Amino acid sequence: MADSYSGATADEGDRGSGGFVDDKSLKWLGVGLSSLFALAVLALVVYIVATQVDFALLQTIFPQFVSAYLLVLQIVVIGGILSVTAGVLVGLARVSKTSITNGIATAYVQFFRGTPLLFQIFVIYFGIPTLWPGTFPVQDWGFPTAIIALTLNHAAYVGEAVRGGIGAVPDGQMEAARSLGMGYIQGMREVVVPQAWRNALAAIGNDQVILVKDTSLLTIIAIPELMQAFRSVNSATFDPWTPLVLVAIAYLSITLPLMRLVTYLEERSDWGGDSQ
């Protein structure tokens, strides 16, 4: 049976087996369609920049967008660090053998994944101050609301990524750690979690990119972030494209390096891969 494939030529392999389009044609069809799409997008961007962007207005509003950009960057850094840290704890709690710990973590994840982030922002921004006895002590509650809401929401998603990463580690790894005399906690810390982190890294990185984009929802509580800056300029000048170009550049300047960082970390954590 093994010799029955020895007579197949490279051309026969390229033609595929009985399909309407052979492999080579399908390849070039994909190249052509993707190239046409890229050219169409590039042409649209060039047209918008050449005909719709007011460069005089661009210089005027640029400082306002720099301020909004720095605020978004601050929220992303703080919210990202806190959500990943809390998410690791949530993920560990989700795989806990203690029913109470596991149950609380499960309820937490189900609530924050099952309700919209905008709802959670409203609960924290409008609801929490009314529960405080007397006058609410925090005057500028918008920035803390942004950090708390993004952290709580994204910690649930990071926690599920960590739980899935731990679940993908073979059970024999913990058994091997226990056979070496390690306790459960030491085995998790030294053996299981490093492998789980590698498994979960792509999902965690994707979630952090979503966190960056979720800052746009903060415009609803008048946080002076990028979309709020767009709304302010658009309402004053009725020019949508000039501020939108700045918004796009600002977001991409955060998300593209973040995605590249995640790719780098994935390559570094691929212990058995060719990149090492």
Side-chain angles (χ1 to χ4, degrees):
M1 293 297 291
D3 292 339
S4 63
Y5 296 98
S6 60
T9 65
D11 291 339
E12 289 172 345
D14 287 340
R15 284 196 295 270
S17 55
F20 291 104
V21 181
D22 60 33
D23 294 344
K24 186 176 292 186
S25 299
L26 185 61
K27 170 188 172 183
W28 287 111
L29 177 63
V31 170
L33 290 176
S34 58
S35 299
L36 285 174
F37 176 76
L39 288 173
V41 172
L42 180 61
L44 178 61
V45 171
V46 170
Y47 173 78
I48 290 172
V49 172
T51 64
Q52 303 296 316
V53 174
D54 185 343
F55 289 93
L57 176 62
L58 197 65
Q59 296 178 3
T60 302
I61 65 177
F62 185 74
Q64 179 181 353
F65 277 84
V66 170
S67 177
Y69 174 81
L70 293 176
L71 178 61
V72 167
L73 194 60
Q74 184 179 4
I75 293 172
V76 166
V77 170
I78 298 174
I81 293 173
L82 292 178
S83 64
V84 171
T85 303
V88 171
L89 298 177
V90 171
L92 293 173
R94 288 278 280 126
V95 298
S96 173
K97 304 298 183 182
T98 305
S99 58
I100 296 178
T101 302
N102 183 283
I104 293 174
T106 300
Y108 170 85
V109 168
Q110 289 178 345
F111 177 82
F112 282 98
R113 292 180 69 198
T115 57
L117 175 58
L118 188 59
F119 165 79
Q120 297 160 21
I121 292 172
F122 283 167
V123 168
I124 297 170
Y125 187 74
F126 295 109
I128 296 300
T130 64
L131 301 177
W132 196 269
T135 304
F136 193 62
V138 182
Q139 297 300 317
D140 185 9
W141 183 231
F143 185 80
T145 295
I147 299 299
I148 294 170
L150 291 173
T151 297
L152 292 177
N153 181 271
H154 286 274
Y157 289 93
V158 172
E160 283 300 277
V162 171
R163 182 191 66 80
I166 293 174
V169 176
D171 295 338
Q173 295 294 306
M174 176 57 78
E175 294 172 2
R178 298 301 291 268
S179 68
L180 293 174
M182 296 184 186
Y184 177 79
I185 295 177
Q186 185 181 7
M188 289 291 292
R189 184 178 68 247
E190 301 291 341
V191 178
V192 176
V193 171
Q195 297 180 66
W197 178 258
R198 178 181 59 180
N199 297 334
L201 189 56
I204 294 174
N206 181 65
D207 177 76
Q208 294 304 293
V209 172
I210 295 173
L211 185 148
V212 176
K213 297 184 291 184
D214 279 347
T215 59
S216 62
L217 293 175
L218 301 175
T219 187
I220 203 68
I221 56 173
I223 296 290
E225 45 74 56
L226 290 166
M227 293 308 300
Q228 183 70 16
F230 159 75
R231 293 174 63 185
S232 175
V233 172
N234 184 52
S235 63
T237 64
F238 300 101
D239 180 350
W241 282 113
T242 302
L244 280 176
V245 167
L246 284 179
V247 170
I249 293 172
Y251 278 122
L252 289 173
S253 70
I254 300 175
T255 56
L256 292 181
L258 180 57
M259 288 186 283
R260 185 66 191 92
L261 174 62
V262 172
T263 301
Y264 170 77
L265 292 175
E266 286 184 274
E267 292 172 352
R268 292 287 296 174
S269 66
D270 187 12
W271 302 324
D274 295 334
S275 61
Q276 298 299 311

